[in-house]
Amino acid sequence: MADTDNRNTHKVYEKDKIGEVQIADEVVAIIAGLAATEVEGVDSMAGHITNELVGKLGMKNLSKGVKVDVTEEHVSVALSLYIKYGYSIPSVCEKVQEKVQSAIENMTGLIVLDVNIKIAGMSMEGN
């Protein structure tokens, strides 16, 4: 089991006789990164981490380009993305925002207040 003493964690569930569940900020960031890279039109996170590279590089690398601010039961997310050339930036960003919000809320029970996106660059590969 990973040591969470040095990481920011947040209690998301507690039941008197069974115990509590805590989630590290990094886990929320990884969820956001995975969700974002699944959207068509997103080439990679800042740092060029793609969904395909996660298996080779490991999950921790996926949190690069993602900043989360978790307070009590709320989350604010900031993503830095590379977009594929030829895709509508507003449309891709809207899909990323929806997918990230849905993934975090469904997997953690935390409420996402906002998902802010910075377009760090554009990829011409494959076009």
Side-chain angles (χ1 to χ4, degrees):
M1 190 157 154
D3 177 27
T4 60
D5 292 341
N6 297 328
R7 297 190 289 175
N8 233 0
T9 62
H10 302 278
K11 189 185 310 181
V12 293
Y13 176 78
E14 184 172 18
K15 190 163 184 178
D16 294 336
K17 296 186 182 191
I18 296 175
E20 67 183 35
V21 175
Q22 292 189 352
I23 299 177
D25 286 2
E26 182 180 7
V27 172
V28 178
I30 289 168
I31 293 168
L34 275 170
T37 57
E38 289 176 351
V39 174
E40 188 178 350
V42 173
D43 182 61
S44 63
M45 303 299 298
H48 297 290
I49 304 300
T50 64
N51 202 287
E52 293 79 30
L53 285 175
V54 173
K56 295 175 186 170
L57 299 175
M59 289 289 215
K60 284 191 173 187
N61 287 306
L62 195 59
S63 64
K64 290 182 179 177
V66 183
K67 182 179 181 286
V68 295
D69 183 22
V70 184
T71 56
E72 305 253 338
E73 297 176 359
H74 299 97
V75 182
S76 288
V77 181
L79 301 166
S80 187
L81 304 175
Y82 283 79
I83 300 291
K84 292 178 182 175
Y85 176 78
Y87 283 84
S88 164
I89 292 173
S91 176
V92 170
C93 289
E94 182 179 356
K95 288 176 188 162
V96 168
Q97 288 170 317
E98 290 170 358
K99 186 140 187 149
V100 167
Q101 178 181 15
S102 176
I104 291 172
E105 289 181 352
N106 289 335
M107 293 183 74
T108 68
L110 297 166
I111 297 167
V112 177
L113 296 178
D114 51 21
V115 178
N116 298 302
I117 298 173
K118 173 184 165 190
I119 304 301
M122 186 170 288
S123 169
M124 300 290 279
E125 295 174 18
N127 294 313

